[in-house]
Amino acid sequence: MKARMLATYVALPVLAIAAVSVEAHAADFDWMKFKGKTVTFLANNNPVSQALLTYKADFEKLTGMTLKVDSYQEQQMRQRLVTVMNANSDEVDAFMTLPSREGEQFAASGWYADLTAMSKGAVAKEYDPGGLSQALLKAATFGGKLTSMPMNIEGPILYYRTDIFKKCGLEAPKTIKEVEAAAEKIKSCDSAVTPFVSRGLKPAVAYTFSNMLHNIGGSYIANGKSSLCSAKSKEALDTYSRLLRDFGPPGVVNYSFQQISALYRSGRAAMAFESSNELRTVMDGGARLKDTGLLPFPAGEAGQVPTTIGWGMAVSSHSKQPDAAWYFVQWATSPEVQKKMALQGIAPPRPSVANDPEYRKWIDEEPVRKEWQAALDVLATKGSSEVGYPIVANPQSREFIGQAVQDLILKQKSLDQACADADRELDALIAQK
Amino acid sequence: MSDTAATLTQDRQKLEMSALSAPAVIFTVGMIAFPVVYTIWLGFQNFSSTGKQSFAGLANYSKLVSDVEFWHGLWVTIALYVLSLVLQLVFGVWLALVLFHAKRLPGIVRSLFISPFMMPPVVAGMMWLVILDPSLGAANYILQSLGLPPSDWLASPTWVIPTVALIDSWQWTPYVALIVLGGLQSLPSSVYEAAQIDGASAFKTFQRITLPLLLPTIVTAAILRSVDLLRFFDIIYITTQGGPGNASNTLNIYGFRVGFEFFNIGYASALMLTLTAIVFGAVLAFNRLRGAVAW
């Protein structure tokens, strides 16, 4: 959806006002205001929260508050959140959220506290809310309410083996057609490796497929109806599933980020289209450090429209101490903490941190980090946060996208049948209010 | 003390004992009853995607009838149940016989035989996910080393149910074997001595004596495994999440997704209550069978 297209660092009027009004309140700001209170944080146990919680003691020392961390894997975290929120419980004060996935749904359910006023009011001088990625703030704004503050910036990028490309006489691909041509050549040139791998697991497909769809020029919704059967969307479905079927690993329909990273890291894949967040995992052990190139996913007929999302930190609408929770959110998304997280490989959602000399020095230490940051810069400037359908039932919509792709990978349906079946189910979801 | 006075004292003691145990009984009954009653109530509610709630009457149950995913989930659940139960009972009895007759088997070997079911299902699922990975796993490496073609295992819509049944059977066959072993050890030796005197072969002894006498024990094992197998969740959740496509989407997995991923708690409750009814039905059927084969 064009309205959700990100144009990072283009200031939103609301936040420009916020930035101005911050000055007035910053002088009165006292980090110790809620000393003695306990804030409960529901965390997704991923690299972002792991990096953040390294500095938990710093928060407690700075504020005199106790931070109680309730940490689960992503799916279990949402399960816990649904239970807590449906019970109108105040057990959770702050939680991690993915606006691109559940933003519409949680906002419509009234689970997010409105951070618009908080980000204007009790703000430390050094916080600088205007310095956060405006595009990600916009993606976290629903019905005019700011629902979360960005913790990181991420999106799928293409990891490719420079040594295999060189051996096979290939250049880095510039277009989707060149990706397919490279996969074809690698298949005959080096039969020991999987030419191309990306997500095939049903609920995970939308993350990478959306990038392909947007690059080719397709869209999820046209005139209020699901449009997977439009010419461009069909081309995207066909290309994505063909790449995985003809050049992917056996069993790719069960592949998500864990399997993809493991396959690429072990040296058994020539190209992997996977999250920028996986850099640390892929480089673990150092085997891929010197033979990997990184790119935003190559252009299609509509150019490059990378998928760009980020985890956000939200305050629960049922919290009995939203102001204390906001202090935690503010600390967690402050320039100082985000710089420390960036040095652990968590891409910062602040241009000021991305340009920080210390961070730049870390980036410059390895060519692969430079390429990673260059790809992230493209994601930040050209990205779209549309992953799946921009509707309340977004998580369910991802199932049907994944089903269509799997039907094609497994050759269980024709292209026309797969997209028509998906469109029928998705139209019913779109019609739900 | 007169009889009347003694009766009054006994009644008073009973009353006192009842009063003392009442809090524990009320708490236990409440802990069991509340979730069930609450789920029944949820089954009559409609929750929109945004969590808004309204009374739905029987709408959630009538939706089941026309829900293709429900019928598919029921088929997957039953297929997985039948296949796993047969495998576990057959191999469980066989393993029990091996352990029963191999009396000199060292304790460590016996422990190894029964160790899989002590492993958390999540760990077992993760382990098999790695072993059965079509690209990196040991299973295909072994097949190819033997000159056999590789398999897609959990990634094949055709093979996913047999593969999951094999994983579950690997884990739970020893549990069935332990139950059957207990039954074997309690069989009367006089019957075997009589059979030996009559010159019955080992197979005939097993067919005509051991198996009929073991049937009540085997049915007990079948009841215990039925309850778990019809609620199949953890290994599928770890290995396939119901895929590829919907090929391993059991009712339990489907209900979980409807409730906790799509937030339709009302419909998920209706699904889970239907599954509970199926489990009860299976247990009742096996109980009747146990009554019929008791000796």
Side-chain angles (χ1 to χ4, degrees), chain A residues 75-76 79 82-83 86 101 105-106 108-109 111 201-203 249-255 259 262-263 266 268 392-393 395-396 399 403 406 410 412 432-433, chain B residues 47-52 69 129 133-137 140 151-152 154-157 237 239-246 249 256-257 259-263 265:
Chain A
Q75 199 115 324
Q76 285 70 29
Q79 189 180 331
V82 171
T83 311
N86 273 327
R101 183 187 188 276
Q105 193 167 26
F106 286 11
S109 302
W111 292 356
L201 187 70
K202 197 165 62 167
V252 72
V253 286
N254 278 345
Y255 269 55
Q259 292 78 17
L263 191 75
S266 68
R268 297 179 69 171
V392 169
Q396 210 165 347
E399 292 279 321
Q403 182 71 57
Q406 285 201 345
L410 297 168
Q412 294 194 316
Q432 279 179 12
K433 298 293 175 195
Chain B
F47 289 82
S48 70
S49 299
T50 58
K52 289 188 177 61
E69 276 301 310
L129 189 63
D133 184 289
S135 300
L136 303 170
N140 273 354
S151 169
D152 278 354
L154 295 159
S156 156
Y237 186 70
T239 54
T240 68
Q241 296 192 13
N246 289 334
N249 208 18
F256 172 81
R257 305 190 91 157
F260 290 106
E261 288 182 20
F262 311 149
F263 304 154
I265 302 288

Side-chain angles (χ1 to χ4, degrees), chain A residues 220-243:
Chain A
Y220 284 123
I221 297 182
N223 302 319
K225 293 276 185 187
S226 175
S227 63
L228 280 185
C229 279
S230 68
K232 294 285 184 192
S233 301
K234 273 165 67 174
E235 187 186 335
L237 278 172
D238 193 30
T239 308
Y240 189 86
S241 57
R242 194 173 59 240
L243 273 169

Side-chain angles (χ1 to χ4, degrees), chain A residues 2 176 212-218 232 299-305:
Chain A
K2 294 291 178 193
I176 294 173
M212 172 88 77
L213 177 80
H214 293 135
N215 278 14
I216 286 177
K232 294 285 184 192
E301 290 152 53
Q304 271 184 321
V305 190

Side-chain angles (χ1 to χ4, degrees), chain A residues 101 104-105 221 388-395 397 426 429-430 432:
Chain A
R101 183 187 188 276
E104 294 261 10
Q105 193 167 26
I221 297 182
Y389 282 63
I391 56 175
V392 169
N394 173 286
S397 77
L426 287 156
L429 278 191
I430 294 167
Q432 279 179 12

